[in-house]
C-alpha cells in the first residue's frame, strides 16, 4: 500500500501549493539547498518564464477532470513522491530546458525547440499542447514543519535562447499645439465700433486750422458749417454742435472749447449714431426725446434754401417742428416709450436724410421726414376739424374726420390713452394736440406701416392682453354695420365676415383670436383693419374687391407708400381749392370796384 501510495500521482492542489511555495522561498531554507541569486537580467527573465509556465500548466490541470488526463500530459509531467530520512523538506527538481539546436533560430523556438503556430516564442498565450518539455518532480511526503524548495539549474542556460520577443514601443499621440488665433472682437458695440485714434486726431487738426482762420480764433454760428465740414460732420449738425461746445451759452466758441468737447465725445461715441445722440443730449443720455431735435429743426428752417419762403411765417415754425419730430419717432423709434435709442437710430434713416439736406435744395424730396408738403397736408387736416382753433382736438372734433368715417369705439379708444406716447400713457385724455393727431393720420392713411399696425392693434385689443378675440372684433364691426345701415347699405352678418377675416390672417388651425405678429405677417392687413375702423373705406374695398391701386414711383425709382400717395393727392386738391378761392376773391374785388366807380359817377 505504501508503494502504491508513493507511485500515485499527487493531487493538483498539492503540486500547485508546492510550486508556489518553492518559487517564493529563496532565503529561508535550513538544509543544503541551491539558492539562486540572479545576478544578471537574463537569469531573472528565465526565472519569471519558468514560473509562468508552471502556473499555466497547473491552471489547465485544474480546469480538466482528473479522470480525463491525457497520456501526453502524463508523460510530460512526472512527479515522484519519495519519503526522506530527514523529513523536513520536499525537493522539487525541475530539469532545465533543452539547448537550442541549429535547425531554427532562438527567437523562433518554443519550449520544445520548435516554432509555434504564431511564429512567436515564450508568450503567455501558449496552449497546453505546445508545452513539451522534460521535467522531473520529486516531492517527498510532507512532514510537519517541512518547507519545500525550488531547485533551478542554470548550467545549460543561454541568454540568446530565451530572449523574449520585444514588445513594440507604445505610440503616444500628443495633440498638436493650438494655432494662435487673433482675439475675437465683441459682436455688439453699443456706442459704435471704435475708430483709430489717428483718425480723430487728424480731424481735430483740420478743425484747429479752420479756427485759426477766424477773427480772434473765435467761431460764431454762421461759421459752424466750415467747422462741421472739417470735422467730418453733416452740415446741419452745426446748431447742436455749437450749443454743445459753448454749453448753451450766448457767446462765440473758441478752439479750446471745441478741442475739449471733441476729445470727450470721441472717447465714448465712435460712430455717427452715438455721436449724434451725444451731441443733442450733451452727453447726458443714451437716447433721444422729441424735444432734442427742436434746435436743429429751427436751424433747418432758417438756413435751408427749400424753406426760404417759410421763414417769415414764424407762427408756424413750432408746428412744423412738431410734425417733423413726430414723423422721426414714428418711422425710426418703433417704441411707445417716446425714446429713440442709439441702436434704433443706427437702423433708421433720419441720419442719412439729415446728411442729404446739404446736397438737395428741394426739401420736399425728403418724403419720410422733412417734406413741407406733407406738413401742409397734416396741418390743414388738423385745422379743418379744430372747431374753435385752439390747437386742441376733442373727441367730438375727431369724430368729424373724413365725414364721420370713424366708428365711436375707435374714437373712445384713441382718447383712452392706449396709443399715447407721453409720460401719462395709458391714462384717459380729454384733448389731443397736433403731435397726437399726426400719429392718428399716419396710422389711418397707411395701415401697412409697422408702427401703424401696432397703433391699430392697441386700439382693437380692449383688455390689453395681447390677443384680439372674436368678441373684440364683433364689438367693432357691429358699429361699422350700424353706420352702413344709417346710409342705407346692406352688409353681411358678422359670422360670414369672421370667416373671411380668419382667412385674411391665415392663422394655422383657424384660431378664434390673433396676435400682433399674425397681423404683421398678413399681406391683407390694411383691408383687415378697415373692417373695424373706417366704415367708408370698408365699403369702398368691398365694392372694388379685386382691383389694385396702380404703382407710383418717385424720381429715384422707389415705390411710393400709401401715405406718400395720400399727401400728393391731398396737396394737389388743396392747391386747386386755394387757386379757385383766389380767383373767386379776385372776381369779387373787381365787382366791388365796378360798383364803387359807378356810384361815384352817379354822384358826380
Amino acid at each position: 500500500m505504501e508503494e502504491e501510495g508513493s507511485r500515485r500521482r499527487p493531487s493538483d492542489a498539492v503540486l500547485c501549493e508546492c510550486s508556489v511555495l518553492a518559487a517564493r522561498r529563496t532565503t529561508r531554507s535550513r538544509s543544503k539547498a541551491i539558492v539562486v541569486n540572479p545576478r544578471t537580467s537574463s537569469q531573472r527573465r528565465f526565472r519569471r518564464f519558468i514560473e509562468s509556465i508552471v502556473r499555466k500548466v497547473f491552471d489547465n490541470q485544474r480546469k480538466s477532470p482528473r479522470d480525463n488526463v491525457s497520456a501526453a500530459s502524463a508523460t510530460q509531467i512526472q512527479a515522484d513522491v519519495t519519503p526522506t530520512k530527514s523529513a523536513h523538506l520536499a525537493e522539487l527538481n525541475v530539469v532545465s530546458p533543452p539547448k537550442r539546436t541549429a535547425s531554427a533560430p532562438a527567437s523562433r523556438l518554443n519550449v520544445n525547440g520548435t516554432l509555434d503556430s504564431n511564429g512567436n516564442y515564450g508568450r503567455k498565450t501558449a496552449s497546453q499542447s505546445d508545452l513539451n518539455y522534460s521535467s522531473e518532480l520529486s516531492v517527498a511526503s510532507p512532514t510537519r514543519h517541512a518547507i519545500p524548495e525550488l531547485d533551478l539549474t542554470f548550467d545549460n542556460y543561454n541568454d540568446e535562447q530565451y530572449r523574449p520577443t520585444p514588445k513594440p514601443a507604445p505610440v503616444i499621440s500628443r495633440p498638436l499645439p493650438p494655432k494662435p488665433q487673433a482675439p475675437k472682437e465683441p459682436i455688439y458695440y453699443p456706442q459704435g465700433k471704435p475708430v483709430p485714434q489717428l483718425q480723430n486726431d487728424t480731424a481735430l487738426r483740420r478743425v484747429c486750422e479752420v479756427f485759426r482762420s477766424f477773427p480772434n480764433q473765435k467761431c460764431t454760428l454762421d461759421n459752424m458749417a466750415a467747422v462741421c465740414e472739417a470735422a467730418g460732420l453733416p452740415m446741419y449738425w452745426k446748431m447742436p454742435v455749437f450749443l454743445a461746445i459753448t454749453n448753451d451759452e450766448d457767446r462765440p466758441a473758441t478752439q479750446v472749447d471745441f478741442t475739449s468737447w471733441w476729445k470727450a465725445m470721441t472717447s465714448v461715441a465712435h460712430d455717427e449714431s452715438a455721436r449724434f445722440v451725444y451731441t443733442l443730449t450733451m452727453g447726458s443720455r443714451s437716447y433721444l426725446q422729441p424735444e432734442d431735435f427742436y434746435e436743429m429743426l429751427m436751424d433747418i428752417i432758417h438756413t435751408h434754401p427749400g424753406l426760404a419762403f417759410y421763414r417769415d411765417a414764424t407762427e408756424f415754425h413750432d408746428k412744423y417742428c412738431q410734425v417733423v419730430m413726430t414723423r422721426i419717432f414714428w418711422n425710426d423709434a418703433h417704441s411707445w416709450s417716446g425714446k429713440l435709442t442709439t441702436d434704433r437710430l443706427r437702423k433708421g434713416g433720419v441720419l442719412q436724410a439729415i446728411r442729404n439736406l446739404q446736397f438737395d435744395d428741394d426739401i420736399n424730396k425728403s418724403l419720410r421726414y422733412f417734406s413741407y408738403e406733407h406738413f401742409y397736408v397734416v396741418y390743414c387736416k388738423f385745422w379743418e376739424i379744430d372747431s374753435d382753433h385752439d390747437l386742441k382736438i376733442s373727441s367730438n372734433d375727431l369724430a368729424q374726420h373724413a365725414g364721420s368715417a370713424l366708428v365711436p369705439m375707435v374714437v373712445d379708444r384713441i382718447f383712452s390713452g392706449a396709443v399715447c406716447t407721453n409720460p401719462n400713457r395709458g391714462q384717459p385724455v380729454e384733448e389731443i394736440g397736433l403731435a397726437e393727431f399726426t400719429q392718428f393720420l399716419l396710422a389711418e392713411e397707411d395701415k401697412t406701416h409697422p408702427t401703424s399696425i401696432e397703433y391699430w392693434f392697441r386700439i382693437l385689443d380692449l383688455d390689453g392682453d395681447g390677443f384680439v378675440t372674436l368678441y373684440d372684433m364683433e364689438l367693432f364691426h357691429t358699429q361699422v354695420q350700424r353706420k352702413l345701415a344709417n346710409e342705407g347699405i346692406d352688409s353681411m352678418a358678422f359670422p360670414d365676415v369672421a370667416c373671411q377675416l380668419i382667412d385674411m390672417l391665415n392663422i394655422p388651425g383657424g384660431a378664434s383670436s390673433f396676435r400682433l405678429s399674425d397681423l404683421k405677417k398678413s399681406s391683407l392687413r390694411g383691408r383687415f383693419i378697415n373692417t373695424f375702423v373706417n366704415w367708408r373705406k370698408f365699403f369702398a374695398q368691398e365694392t372694388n374687391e379685386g382691383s389694385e391701386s396702380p404703382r407710383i414711383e418717385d424720381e429715384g425709382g422707389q415705390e411710393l407708400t400709401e401715405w406718400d400717395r395720400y399727401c400728393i393727392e391731398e396737396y394737389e386738391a388743396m392747391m386747386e381749392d386755394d387757386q379757385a378761392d383766389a380767383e373767386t376773391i379776385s372776381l369779387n374785388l373787381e365787382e366791388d370796384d365796378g360798383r364803387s366807380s359807378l356810384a361815384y359817377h352817379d354822384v358826380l
Side-chain angles (χ1 to χ4, degrees), residues 11 22 42 52 130 151 178 223 233 238 262 309 344 412 418 455 471 475 489 508 523:
S11 62
S42 301
S52 64
D130 295 333
D151 186 8
N223 307 125
L233 302 176
K238 58 183 184 294
W262 179 260
F309 68 94
R344 297 307 312 178
D412 295 340
Y455 185 95
Y471 175 76
L475 291 178
I489 302 173
S523 59

Side-chain angles (χ1 to χ4, degrees), residues 380-387 393 397-398 400-402 437:
C380 289
K381 292 295 181 181
F382 179 79
W383 187 260
E384 287 178 1
I385 62 177
D386 185 12
S387 58
I393 293 179
D397 295 335
L398 186 62
Q400 304 302 320
H401 173 72
F437 177 80

Side-chain angles (χ1 to χ4, degrees), residues 543-564:
T543 55
N544 299 326
E545 187 174 1
S547 60
E548 297 181 357
S549 57
R551 178 185 176 91
I552 304 176
E553 298 180 352
D554 57 3
E555 296 179 356
Q558 296 182 355
E559 183 180 4
L560 296 178
T561 62
E562 294 183 6
W563 169 257
D564 297 333

Side-chain angles (χ1 to χ4, degrees), residues 38-55:
R39 296 181 180 179
T40 63
S41 61
S42 301
Q43 293 175 352
R44 289 194 298 270
R45 288 196 299 270
F46 177 73
R47 187 180 66 183
R48 290 194 296 270
F49 171 71
I50 292 300
E51 292 176 359
S52 64
I53 291 178
V54 173
R55 292 193 189 95

Side-chain angles (χ1 to χ4, degrees), residues 103-120:
S103 61
S107 61
R108 305 288 286 178
L109 292 176
N110 61 5
V111 238
N112 294 326
T114 60
L115 294 174
D116 59 0
S117 60
N118 297 326
N120 297 324

Side-chain angles (χ1 to χ4, degrees), residues 242-258:
F242 183 78
L243 295 177
I245 62 180
T246 60
N247 294 325
D248 201 7
E249 298 177 359
D250 189 11
R251 61 177 179 83
T254 62
Q255 180 179 339
V256 177
D257 296 334
F258 185 88

Side-chain angles (χ1 to χ4, degrees), residues 55-105:
R55 292 193 189 95
K56 185 67 177 181
V57 171
F58 290 156
D59 291 339
N60 293 334
Q61 288 291 339
R62 282 195 301 271
K63 292 179 181 179
S64 61
R66 294 182 180 181
D67 298 337
N68 297 332
V69 179
S70 62
S73 62
T75 58
Q76 291 176 4
I77 304 174
Q78 298 178 357
D80 294 334
V81 181
T82 58
T84 60
K85 296 180 179 180
S86 59
H88 70 281
L89 288 175
E91 296 179 356
L92 178 62
N93 298 326
V94 181
V95 180
S96 62
K99 295 183 180 180
R100 182 183 61 180
T101 61
S103 61

